[in-house]
Amino acid sequence: MAGLGKTTLANKLYRDPLIEYMFNFRAWACVSQVYVKKDLLLTILSCFIDDMPDEFYELYDHELGEKLYRKLKGRKYLVVFDDIWDYKAWNDLKMYFPDDRTGSRVLFTSRDTDVSLHVQSARPAHVLRLRTEAESWDIFQKKMFRTGICPPLLEHFGRVITRKCDGLPLAIVIAAGLLKNNWSNSWWRQIAASLSSFMVSNPSQYMDSLALSYNHLPSHLRPCFLYFGAFPEDHEIHMTKLIWLWVAQGFINGTGNRILEDVAEDFLKDLVKRSLVMTPRIKADGQVKTCRIHDLLRDFTMRKAKEEKFMSNIYRYDMVSSMLCSPLEIGKVLQEGGSVLSETYKLLRVLDMESLPVSVFPLDTTRLVNLRYLAIQAHNGSPQASISNLFNLQMLIILSKKNVLLPKTIWDMVNLRHLYIKSGENQIEETCSGQMIENDGCLKGLASLQTLSQVSPLSCANICSRSPNLRKLGFCGPLISRLGDMEFPNLSSLVHLQKLKLLNTFCLPEVTRSCNPIMFPQNLKKLTLSNTGMDWEEMWTFSLLPNLEILKLKHQSCIGEMWETGDAEFRRLKVLKLHDLDMMQWVSSKDNFPRLQRLVVQRCLKLNTIPRELGQIFTLEVIEVNGCNFSAYNSAMEIQKEQEDDGNCFLKVQTKIRNRHYDLGKIPRSLKRARVSD
């Protein structure tokens, strides 16, 4: 049954250092009850290919299968199919997995033991058992306490609770979530008395047990948790999108002067702490990237939502041809050029067609005046002037193959919080001087706007006065003057701006010779540069940003053979990512990055070595070296070895070279030496 730890055990094997070392390729795919062949093939290919080309998503199933077969031919691979319900899923795919007697393996997890018979597995299914009382207590202690040891005052009730979980790991985890935020003896006594035995063979009894976690939730968290049931099984939801949807649906109420999105993020963290929400992917800075809930909990949310009449089916996300849409009925109508004037949808708050392409921005969407969240994918994603009819709209997300021209009426949408265009060099239509002025003599503006992305700096001359509360901003366009200076609107007055992306599209005559630090706001925490052509000697500019925590230098953001950091001190920098740069030599010391926690060096093919002294940074936790040459990989390994010899076992070094991935913090030293000699 669910919750016995099938996925956990498979994941433990999958991520074991020896397994990582032994297999050329590894891939993980969640199958679920309803699967799409193309999605599975894309998921597996994405595990082997960094930055999957866009054209792959337009290929037919058999074309993707052929690419997968060629990729795996003659290689030693491990592929995990998690939560497979029907052996037909494997029958649809097995032709693309060559059996060259290289020691390759395919691993399944399933709730149906008969699957192993139908797929003709080499070995009988390994049927997991319920845990013993001692094993259950060990799981409980590790989940509850940082030291893994329960305080004597709570041990009696803790053992009673774990005993009543009947050895089901998922039940133990949920029980731990109930207790984690309340350490009082009386609360533990209450849970020990009320936690019914899990009758694993009786679904209704099992649902009653799950209800304990739900009933313990504060009222403000319940709609947020139930909303997970709107998404398909095993679907990973990006944290930012989920938070925006919660806000759009009206689940989040302001707390004092706090921004709704910040409150929502705290709600999500609370659900994670309660073991109700899983976080499959984490960002480089340690924040949640994607989240999902367990299948059993999703079933529970759907039952509970029906019982409590929480939202209707029109708010659910449905799949069509591997594309996700909500509500699907409207998506299909708009995709076919139809009209949506039904009374059923007049109160609709969310229309998400981000995965369902249309030819042009649908005019009919502007009649859904109650919309708070609108996401559109179109060949031509430029909205008409009537977009301002959506006066309640808070989130506008556009994915377009052509550059988007936003109408000047966008400045009339005073409730807009996030304007997120995913690609291209996009413009905002120029406004005549008379139309820009309000009755009080001020420029029309969007005081609620927090996110503005992928817009040309040429159309944002008055961005600071018109959107003074921006928190995330992305410029895409000409950022370099003909004299070689970096140019964009002065952002120093945007006191709330935390994240800034600068993508230059102007042809670089030579290296960018200057960048004025006064143009950046002092509270900036994350900066991403791409194609800006900075001279490495100008990098000291960014060390003057007192709150900078994340710095990402991407394709040709800096030009030159050597980066010598000199006396520059990035005092608060926690994450440094160097991606697709041409530098050959990097000279740096621990004093340049005193608080660095994560260093990522990716596709810097000419870089010879990682500075050895960086290993002496006390806060450094992870060094990633992906797609670089062997000498860079070797220098990272030497840093890890030196730190081990000095007693630092906390630094984790990960590398990926020639399609192999190594976790150098875990691989035995003998294997490391063997790989170097190879």
Side-chain angles (χ1 to χ4, degrees):
M1 65 163 297
L4 278 172
K6 300 180 295 294
T7 299
T8 300
L9 177 58
N11 190 55
K12 188 177 179 68
L13 287 167
Y14 183 77
R15 298 189 181 280
D16 186 273
L18 186 58
I19 296 295
E20 293 183 5
Y21 179 82
M22 293 300 294
F23 289 91
N24 301 103
F25 293 128
R26 294 178 306 124
W28 183 290
C30 290
V31 183
S32 304
Q33 286 177 304
V34 179
Y35 71 93
V36 179
K37 182 178 178 180
K38 183 174 183 177
D39 282 357
L40 291 177
L41 290 169
L42 286 170
T43 297
I44 296 167
L45 280 167
S46 68
C47 295
F48 305 145
I49 303 173
D50 293 328
D51 299 328
M52 186 117 73
D54 291 340
E55 56 266 23
F56 272 45
Y57 295 91
E58 300 175 2
L59 297 177
Y60 292 104
D61 294 1
H62 71 275
E63 293 175 316
L64 288 170
E66 289 173 3
K67 288 187 177 296
L68 177 60
Y69 184 89
R70 292 191 185 115
K71 193 76 178 175
L72 299 179
K73 184 66 176 173
R75 304 293 185 124
K76 186 176 182 179
Y77 58 85
L78 168 66
V79 177
V80 178
F81 289 99
D82 186 37
D83 198 18
I84 185 169
W85 288 76
D86 193 334
Y87 66 91
K88 293 178 182 177
W90 171 240
N91 286 349
D92 285 345
L93 296 171
K94 64 182 180 182
M95 68 183 74
Y96 304 126
F97 293 87
D99 184 4
D100 296 325
R101 300 188 181 279
T102 57
S104 296
R105 293 288 184 272
V106 176
L107 176 66
F108 301 96
T109 71
S110 178
R111 300 182 193 180
D112 186 355
T113 55
D114 289 340
V115 168
S116 65
L117 302 176
H118 292 291
V119 300
Q120 299 177 339
S121 60
R123 287 173 172 74
H126 175 65
V127 181
L128 297 186
R129 56 169 174 78
L130 293 170
R131 306 303 189 266
T132 65
E133 186 173 331
E135 291 167 340
S136 298
W137 178 240
D138 186 53
I139 294 172
F140 179 79
Q141 289 192 103
K142 288 179 179 178
K143 189 68 181 175
M144 284 293 300
F145 308 102
R146 185 176 298 178
T147 61
I149 301 174
C150 178
L153 288 175
L154 298 174
E155 182 170 347
H156 170 70
F157 297 118
R159 287 187 178 275
V160 171
I161 291 167
T162 53
R163 194 178 302 123
K164 288 188 174 183
C165 290
D166 282 343
L168 186 66
L170 178 60
I172 298 169
V173 170
I174 294 174
L178 282 171
L179 301 167
K180 205 156 194 176
N181 294 324
N182 193 330
W183 305 96
S184 68
N185 204 288
S186 60
W187 175 244
W188 282 51
R189 182 188 297 110
Q190 183 181 342
I191 293 297
S194 63
L195 188 66
S196 302
S197 298
F198 284 172
M199 302 297 292
V200 295
S201 60
N202 188 332
S204 62
Q205 292 274 350
Y206 191 75
M207 286 297 172
D208 289 343
S209 298
L210 287 179
L212 285 172
S213 284
Y214 177 75
N215 293 336
H216 182 58
L217 284 177
S219 58
H220 63 267
L221 289 181
R222 293 187 180 187
C224 298
F225 175 61
L226 291 181
Y227 194 66
F228 277 93
F231 296 91
E233 185 179 330
D234 289 329
H235 181 71
E236 287 187 22
I237 314 160
H238 278 265
M239 182 198 73
T240 301
K241 179 172 184 173
L242 179 66
I243 284 174
W244 290 1
L245 287 168
W246 280 353
V247 172
Q249 294 288 10
F251 300 157
I252 312 298
N253 296 315
T255 305
N257 295 324
R258 296 196 66 201
I259 294 174
L260 296 180
E261 287 77 1
D262 290 344
V263 177
E265 187 172 349
D266 285 346
F267 285 6
L268 178 59
K269 290 178 180 177
D270 199 345
L271 289 172
V272 172
K273 288 179 182 177
R274 293 170 184 269
S275 303
L276 293 173
V277 175
M278 297 181 287
T279 55
R281 289 194 282 171
I282 303 295
K283 296 180 181 178
D285 58 356
Q287 298 298 311
V288 174
K289 185 172 185 178
T290 63
C291 54
R292 60 179 288 262
I293 60 172
H294 189 276
D295 296 349
L296 277 182
L297 289 171
R298 177 179 176 273
D299 290 340
F300 171 81
T301 60
M302 296 175 70
R303 291 171 184 258
K304 182 59 67 172
K306 184 176 181 180
E307 175 188 322
E308 298 185 357
K309 296 181 173 58
F310 172 78
M311 305 178 67
S312 65
N313 286 332
I314 67 169
Y315 295 100
R316 297 198 179 281
Y317 278 80
D318 294 296
M319 298 284 286
V320 53
S321 302
S322 84
M323 293 175 287
L324 203 62
C325 182
S326 172
L328 182 59
E329 294 82 0
I330 291 185
K332 285 183 175 179
V333 170
L334 292 175
Q335 191 181 38
E336 295 167 2
S339 178
V340 287
L341 298 177
S342 170
E343 288 291 309
T344 307
Y345 303 114
K346 67 179 182 180
L347 297 178
L348 188 69
R349 298 173 72 103
V350 170
L351 176 57
D352 188 351
M353 295 177 58
E354 188 179 341
S355 300
L356 197 65
V358 293
S359 56
V360 295
F361 196 101
L363 181 62
D364 248 27
T365 58
T366 61
R367 301 179 184 180
L368 301 170
V369 295
N370 199 51
L371 280 180
R372 266 68 170 177
Y373 182 105
L374 175 60
I376 295 292
Q377 180 189 163
H379 181 75
N380 181 357
S382 298
Q384 299 85 352
S386 58
I387 188 71
S388 61
N389 293 345
L390 301 178
F391 48 84
N392 289 309
L393 196 67
Q394 297 176 334
M395 295 86 182
L396 177 58
I397 299 99
I398 302 175
L399 179 60
S400 176
K401 290 189 175 181
K402 290 186 175 181
N403 291 337
V404 172
L405 177 62
L406 295 167
K408 55 193 173 187
T409 55
I410 202 79
W411 297 111
D412 297 326
M413 302 176 70
V414 294
N415 290 308
L416 200 61
R417 303 174 73 88
H418 305 282
L419 177 50
Y420 184 40
I421 308 175
K422 291 201 168 184
S423 60
E425 182 180 342
N426 310 294
Q427 303 248 359
I428 303 176
E429 187 179 4
E430 290 187 13
T431 312
C432 297
S433 57
Q435 295 174 316
M436 293 172 63
I437 307 299
E438 298 276 17
N439 294 332
D440 58 2
C442 298
L443 286 172
K444 286 185 179 181
L446 302 177
S448 298
L449 193 66
Q450 300 173 38
T451 302
L452 180 62
S453 71
Q454 292 287 134
V455 291
S456 172
L458 300 179
S459 61
C460 295
N462 299 304
I463 192 66
C464 296
S465 56
R466 306 188 80 171
S467 303
N469 296 310
L470 277 173
R471 304 175 83 194
K472 301 177 184 178
L473 176 61
F475 282 143
C476 177
L479 294 170
I480 311 300
S481 72
R482 295 188 181 278
L483 297 177
D485 299 323
M486 187 176 287
E487 282 188 343
F488 54 87
N490 190 321
L491 306 176
S492 59
S493 63
L494 293 178
V495 295
H496 302 288
L497 193 67
Q498 297 181 357
K499 300 181 180 181
L500 176 64
K501 291 185 178 181
L502 300 177
L503 171 56
N504 175 53
T505 58
F506 181 73
C507 294
L508 299 172
E510 53 185 38
V511 294
T512 304
R513 63 185 186 184
S514 69
C515 179
N516 191 343
I518 299 178
M519 300 168 66
F520 296 88
Q522 292 295 294
N523 292 324
L524 194 67
K525 290 185 177 181
K526 180 178 179 179
L527 176 62
T528 303
L529 303 178
S530 183
N531 200 43
T532 49
M534 293 279 295
D535 191 320
W536 283 112
E537 293 183 359
E538 293 296 320
M539 284 302 296
W540 66 271
T541 302
F542 305 115
S543 69
L544 301 179
L545 299 177
N547 294 294
L548 190 64
E549 295 181 354
I550 302 173
L551 178 60
K552 295 185 177 182
L553 304 177
K554 295 190 174 182
H555 175 71
Q556 286 194 329
S557 57
C558 297
I559 296 177
E561 294 185 352
M562 184 171 73
W563 181 19
E564 189 170 0
T565 48
D567 297 331
E569 182 182 353
F570 295 81
R571 288 171 289 177
R572 293 198 176 184
L573 198 68
K574 296 178 180 179
V575 178
L576 175 61
K577 183 172 183 178
L578 309 175
H579 180 89
D580 201 9
L581 302 173
D582 289 336
M583 69 170 171
M584 300 176 64
Q585 189 176 358
W586 181 13
V587 180
S588 186
S589 73
K590 63 179 182 179
D591 297 327
N592 297 127
F593 308 99
R595 297 187 182 180
L596 194 66
Q597 296 177 3
R598 191 178 193 96
L599 171 63
V600 180
V601 183
Q602 190 170 3
R603 292 205 310 214
C604 296
L605 301 178
K606 297 180 181 179
L607 182 63
N608 294 319
T609 59
I610 310 296
R612 180 166 295 183
E613 200 170 332
L614 295 182
Q616 299 174 16
I617 300 174
F618 296 127
T619 55
L620 191 60
E621 299 172 357
V622 177
I623 298 177
E624 289 185 32
V625 182
N626 299 329
C628 298
N629 62 41
F630 190 82
S631 62
Y633 150 79
N634 190 54
S635 68
M637 189 178 75
E638 288 298 325
I639 291 173
Q640 193 270 343
K641 181 178 179 297
E642 281 186 6
Q643 292 305 304
E644 267 189 357
D645 293 342
D646 291 340
N648 177 10
C649 299
F650 300 101
L651 177 59
K652 185 178 181 181
V653 178
Q654 294 180 334
T655 72
K656 185 183 288 185
I657 182 171
R658 297 175 185 175
N659 296 320
R660 293 199 181 198
H661 180 273
Y662 308 101
D663 185 340
L664 298 172
K666 296 180 180 178
I667 295 178
R669 192 172 297 176
S670 60
L671 290 181
K672 295 176 195 171
R673 294 197 184 104
R675 178 53 54 197
V676 172
S677 64
D678 288 346

